[in-house]
């Protein structure tokens, strides 16, 4: 009798500003799953937060296609404690229906309401295996303020920063005085893909940057500008046995017209940046960065996978941030770095799903009640 396929739910879309990036990532993940091993179902999260059944075949035929989410698709819900059971709401006339239980959920979500521990909490309550970090690692990695505090406490090298809220604003002069640089970067504390990030060298640019960042978050970060810098990234992967390894490094070289790796340079301008894999970094520096990547992974409580981003100033590396659900588009660094390190994306999927299933099995053996 042939072995039953592993039932995988790919969860994508979401309510964040990175909704479209998630749709492209999900299509690439779906293309990478071995159809002989996995039975995949696509579940789209609409911009207003509804979970709907999605045609897993749409947008997957080409290397650059993105999954689409129907406006009126059947809505569904994971059952709390249901171990992967899902109820589909087909409307008052037809009544609810239940799908076969999923073995594992693969969240392909970027930004708030997906990468920040919220969805991970729902999956924990559903008692289903899922790919990536759990609640604490997801939340810590998402909030740049909290992440940088934890990294600083652990002695990891970071660029000096201050955090501010609309209730406790900071003037440009005070930020410059605290950070020791006329050039600063302003960014939302809880956002990715360079959404809402701007560079400020005057009070006017600073105020405009703060207004932009506050469109996406109630807390923003102001970081010292360091020049010249190179942007280097490292993929980290944990297998089913708990072994953690780091990939080769990649470097992002933004074009002169963008100045830094902005959202436009990443996704809107085909010539916005050059991605160099592997990065042209001295061997000793590269090894230091890989060690820092693994240490950052552990300090923040990450699990399964993360892409750790660095600033390189000369031979001094600074940890920038951890992305616990990195992009999986056809140009994304996380899978590209593993490809360059000898791990094809189909095998990368196997490792990630294997880790999720084994972690869930171990968690099921823990005692939650007094005997």
């Amino acid at each position: 009798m042939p072995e039953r396929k592993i039932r995988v739910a790919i969860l994508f879309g979401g309510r964040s500003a990175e909704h479209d990036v998630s749709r492209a990532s999900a299509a690439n993940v779906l293309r990478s799953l071995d159809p002989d091993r996995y039975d995949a179902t696509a579940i789209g999260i609409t911009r207003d937060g509804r979970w709907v059944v999605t045609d897993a075949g749409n947008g997957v035929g080409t290397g650059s296609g993105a999954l689409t989410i129907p406006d009126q698709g059947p809505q569904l819900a994971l059952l709390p404690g249901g171990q992967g059971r899902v109820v589909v709401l087909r409307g008052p006339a037809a009544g609810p229906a239940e799908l076969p239980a999923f073995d594992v959920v693969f969240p392909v979500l970027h930004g708030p309401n997906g990468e920040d521990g919220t969805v991970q909490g729902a999956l924990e309550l559903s008692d289903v295996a899922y790919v990536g970090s759990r609640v604490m690692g997801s939340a810590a990695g998402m909030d740049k303020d909290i992440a940088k505090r934890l990294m600083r406490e652990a002695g990891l090298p970071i660029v000096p920063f201050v955090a501010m809220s609309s209730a406790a604003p900071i003037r440009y002069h005070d930020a410059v005085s605290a950070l020791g640089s006329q050039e600063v970067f302003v960014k939302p504390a809880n956002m990715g893909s360079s959404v809402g990030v701007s560079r400020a060298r005057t009070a006017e640019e600073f105020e405009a940057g703060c207004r932009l960042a506050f469109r996406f978050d109630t807390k923003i970060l102001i970081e010292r500008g360091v020049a010249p810098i190179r942007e280097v990234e490292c993929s980290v992967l944990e297998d089913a046995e708990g072994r953690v390894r780091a990939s080769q490094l990649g470097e992002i070289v933004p074009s002169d017209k963008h100045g830094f790796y902005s959202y436009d340079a990443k996704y809107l301008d085909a010539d916005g940046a050059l991605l160099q894999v592997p990065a042209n970094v001295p061997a000793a520096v590269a090894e230091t960065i890989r060690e820092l990547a693994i240490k950052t992974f552990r300090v923040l409580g990450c699990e399964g996978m993360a892409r750790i981003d660095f600033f390189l100033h000369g031979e001094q590396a600074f940890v920038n941030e951890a992305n616990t659900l990195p992009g999986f588009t056809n140009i994304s660094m996380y899978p590209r770095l593993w490809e360059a390190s000898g791990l094809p994306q189909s095998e990368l999927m196997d490792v990630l799903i294997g880790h999720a299933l084994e972690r869930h099995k171990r968690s099921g053996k823990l005692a939650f009640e007094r005997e």
Side-chain angles (χ1 to χ4, degrees), residues 81-84 102-104 123-131 134 240 303 353-366 368:
Q83 297 183 325
F102 293 115
D103 298 303
V104 61
L123 297 175
E124 288 284 349
L125 293 175
S126 299
D127 192 18
V128 62
Y130 61 94
V131 170
R134 286 183 282 194
E303 296 173 85
I353 291 172
H355 170 268
L357 292 170
E358 187 60 32
R359 179 181 64 189
H360 186 252
K361 187 187 301 183
R362 290 195 299 267
S363 295
K365 296 178 181 178
L366 297 177
F368 292 99

Side-chain angles (χ1 to χ4, degrees), residues 136-152:
M136 196 281 286
S138 299
M142 188 72 220
D143 190 316
K144 296 179 179 66
D145 175 33
I146 300 300
K148 288 179 182 293
R149 291 170 188 256
L150 290 170
M151 290 189 285
R152 185 171 59 193

Side-chain angles (χ1 to χ4, degrees), residues 48-177:
D48 61 4
R50 291 175 295 115
W51 294 26
V52 299
V53 179
T54 301
D55 177 8
N58 74 71
V60 180
T62 64
S64 58
L67 292 180
T68 58
I69 303 173
D71 291 333
Q72 303 300 324
Q75 192 168 349
L76 57 81
L78 278 167
L79 292 174
Q83 297 183 325
R85 292 167 57 206
V86 174
V87 169
V88 180
L89 308 177
R90 300 179 296 177
E98 186 172 335
L99 295 179
F102 293 115
D103 298 303
V104 61
V105 177
F106 198 132
V108 189
L109 299 160
H110 310 310
N113 299 302
E115 192 176 356
D116 57 358
T118 51
V119 164
Q120 289 73 18
L123 297 175
E124 288 284 349
L125 293 175
S126 299
D127 192 18
V128 62
Y130 61 94
V131 170
S133 293
R134 286 183 282 194
V135 175
M136 196 281 286
S138 299
M142 188 72 220
D143 190 316
K144 296 179 179 66
D145 175 33
I146 300 300
K148 288 179 182 293
R149 291 170 188 256
L150 290 170
M151 290 189 285
R152 185 171 59 193
E153 175 69 20
L156 293 167
I158 61 170
V159 173
F161 76 100
V162 292
M164 67 176 273
S165 67
S166 56
I170 297 174
R171 296 181 303 167
Y172 174 68
H173 173 77
D174 296 329
V176 166
S177 177

Side-chain angles (χ1 to χ4, degrees), residues 201-222:
R201 288 166 287 195
T202 66
E204 291 74 18
E205 289 180 345
F206 180 78
E207 290 172 8
C210 290
R211 286 195 299 270
L212 175 63
F214 275 131
R215 287 177 52 195
F216 300 99
D217 201 357
T218 57
K219 178 170 64 172
I220 65 177
L221 246 63
I222 305 154

